[in-house]
Amino acid sequence: MRQNYIVAGQRFVIEAAEHLMEPMANYVPFASDETSAQALFTLRVKEVDEIEATHPIWRTVFTDMSDDDMPRIEVYRDGTDWIIRESMFKDSPICLQIRATEDFGQAELQTPRQSSRFAIDNAAMLLYAFTTADKGILEMHASVTVRGDRAYMFLGKSGTGKSTHSRQWMAAFADAWLLNDDNPILRIEEHDGEKQVWVYGSPWSGKTPCYKNDCRRVGAIVKLTQAPENKMHTLRLPEAYAYMLSSSSGLKIEPKMMDALYETMSQAIQLVTVYGLECLPNTDAAEVCYKGVTQ
């Protein structure tokens, strides 16, 4: 089957056997019959018994295995093609391999059926981040809660409590709701001649099944830190940029991609205030945060 998806106004295509896409309910809200816009990428999924071995002629670009509970990512070049291999955890076997053209516009994914959901999600996320880097778009690692007509993005290292803080907002405020809990899409847009920062839901929301095809203007970005009391401050621009960089996805070893990401981050932190919140996992933290971002 061949299906178009639109996320944050950007179209991409996944071609896969129907039995591989049936479990992927997270993509259903983003399915579209619209085909007029050029696709960012086409991902063709190939079910295999085993991932092929690395080849001696491939040039190693880098290996990311910094976190024990996160996937290991290996990146190679084979001529002008990119080869990306990934495992579910740092020391587990490789369960997906992507071969992509130089611009990432065409890609083939190899995956065993038992890991196909993980593989399709991760391949699509990587390709989306790489192909939107020059479009004023950032794929972020964040939890996003909406209240009123504004969305509030919570950043922080894994285990900091981003999801918990979003839940505290929903406990504290009856009108608060979750837009995305892991990989929202930030986008710089122009409305009535004014540049604004908007955030969109995506098919990728981590362990929380929250796949909303919706968007809101960003009211604030908040970097969370666990602490014995709840207090808030505004981050200086260099601090804000550092946290945006660490929370965004992209092939940052590629100079052109990094330059494009830098431009989007620079615009975002000048258009939206970035705060630091030292907090406890309680509703008082949500109240302190909301008061801080709306004053």
Side-chain angles (χ1 to χ4, degrees), residues 10-295:
Q10 303 295 311
R11 183 172 78 92
F12 60 89
V13 178
I14 298 179
E15 295 182 2
E18 191 169 351
H19 69 267
L20 295 179
M21 292 305 295
E22 279 179 354
M24 310 296 287
N26 48 316
Y27 288 84
V28 172
F30 303 90
S32 174
D33 294 328
E34 173 61 50
T35 58
S36 59
Q38 183 176 351
L40 294 169
F41 62 87
T42 297
L43 175 64
R44 297 176 179 87
V45 183
K46 180 180 179 182
E47 186 179 346
V48 297
D49 293 328
E50 292 183 355
I51 304 295
E52 67 177 275
T54 56
H55 292 268
I57 62 170
W58 294 355
R59 176 171 61 86
T60 302
V61 178
F62 80 97
T63 300
D64 182 356
M65 49 189 302
S66 54
D67 295 319
D68 291 339
D69 60 344
M70 296 293 287
R72 178 176 79 259
I73 302 176
E74 303 171 358
V75 181
Y76 304 88
R77 297 301 298 268
D78 181 15
T80 59
D81 284 356
W82 293 94
I83 310 292
I84 302 172
R85 294 160 61 88
E86 191 169 332
S87 66
M88 288 190 181
F89 304 101
K90 178 179 176 179
D91 296 320
S92 60
I94 294 295
C95 64
L96 71 89
Q97 177 173 289
I98 306 163
R99 177 179 282 270
T101 52
E102 189 165 21
D103 65 354
F104 297 102
Q106 299 293 324
E108 180 185 270
L109 167 66
Q110 290 185 8
T111 177
R113 184 171 182 176
Q114 64 268 23
S115 54
S116 61
R117 178 162 190 167
F118 173 87
I120 293 170
D121 265 348
N122 280 266
M125 281 193 290
L126 288 173
L127 292 169
Y128 187 93
F130 297 166
T131 54
T132 58
D134 62 349
K135 294 176 171 55
I137 287 174
L138 297 173
E139 186 181 290
M140 301 294 293
H141 180 47
S143 185
V144 183
T145 300
V146 174
R147 191 177 187 208
D149 62 350
R150 291 290 189 271
Y152 302 94
M153 301 183 67
F154 306 128
L155 313 182
K157 296 179 181 178
S158 295
T160 299
K162 300 182 292 297
S163 299
T164 299
H165 191 70
S166 283
R167 287 196 297 271
Q168 296 304 331
W169 272 60
M170 289 181 281
F173 311 116
D175 59 342
W177 53 274
L178 188 68
L179 176 62
N180 186 274
D181 204 33
D182 197 54
N183 286 101
I185 309 300
L186 180 151
R187 183 174 177 179
I188 307 293
E189 301 180 2
E190 190 165 309
H191 294 261
D192 299 323
E194 176 192 9
K195 281 192 174 181
Q196 300 174 356
V197 183
W198 285 66
V199 63
Y200 290 73
S202 80
W204 314 297
S205 190
K207 297 175 182 177
T208 304
C210 181
Y211 312 114
K212 293 185 173 71
N213 190 358
D214 205 340
C215 64
R216 289 293 187 279
R217 186 174 176 180
V218 177
I221 299 170
V222 184
K223 178 257 176 180
L224 303 178
T225 306
Q226 294 179 354
E229 61 179 320
N230 299 315
K231 57 183 180 179
M232 197 165 183
H233 64 283
T234 303
L235 296 185
R236 296 179 300 111
L237 288 180
E239 290 179 284
Y241 173 77
Y243 285 111
M244 290 289 286
L245 178 62
S246 65
S247 298
S248 62
S249 298
L251 195 59
K252 297 167 186 174
I253 58 167
E254 275 295 287
K256 286 185 179 179
M257 194 177 296
M258 188 60 234
D259 287 347
L261 293 172
Y262 171 78
E263 177 61 28
T264 304
M265 290 178 213
S266 297
Q267 290 188 58
I269 63 176
Q270 292 179 65
L271 293 168
V272 173
T273 304
V274 182
Y275 298 89
L277 175 65
E278 299 173 55
C279 60
L280 291 161
N282 57 22
T283 54
D284 182 58
E287 292 165 356
V288 167
C289 186
Y290 186 71
K291 182 178 179 180
V293 299
T294 53
Q295 281 184 340

